[in-house]
Amino acid sequence: LGLPNHAHAASPCLRSRLAFGVEATAEHLRRIENAENFVKSTLGLTPEDNFRVRQLSGGRAMIELEGESFSSQRSLLNQNDIDKKFTDELGFTSWNVRPFKSGG
């Protein structure tokens, strides 16, 4: 078909980033969107890179990264004031990183 975005990672609805039981509010969805924008720009991710920021119960954030460079990406996040961004600015209670898993 010659689609220009054929190699881009899937980008499902932001609601899929909220764990079961976490209410889908405008604030929660904005928080996820802003967190994903921060992670994308900090790590220099492209549209072909699979990653997600998920909001878990208790306001916790889980950053999911795909690929062989998982360890170096996690290290880069730690060096870029992610605590300040995720807790102080975005309002998450804590954050962690795990390998990307489609479907949460």
Side-chain angles (χ1 to χ4, degrees), residues 88-100:
D88 296 349
E89 294 178 31
L90 295 175
F92 291 107
T93 58
S94 64
W95 64 275
N96 207 338
V97 180
R98 68 181 176 200
F100 173 77

Side-chain angles (χ1 to χ4, degrees), residues 45-57:
L45 299 176
T46 68
E48 292 80 23
D49 294 312
N50 273 313
F51 81 99
R52 301 283 187 276
V53 175
R54 300 190 190 277
Q55 181 167 328
L56 309 178
S57 63

Side-chain angles (χ1 to χ4, degrees), residues 28-49:
H28 289 161
L29 297 175
R30 248 189 322 275
R31 182 181 295 157
I32 293 296
E33 183 177 30
N34 290 336
E36 287 190 350
N37 287 337
F38 172 77
V39 170
K40 181 188 278 188
S41 67
T42 299
L43 298 179
L45 299 176
T46 68
E48 292 80 23
D49 294 312

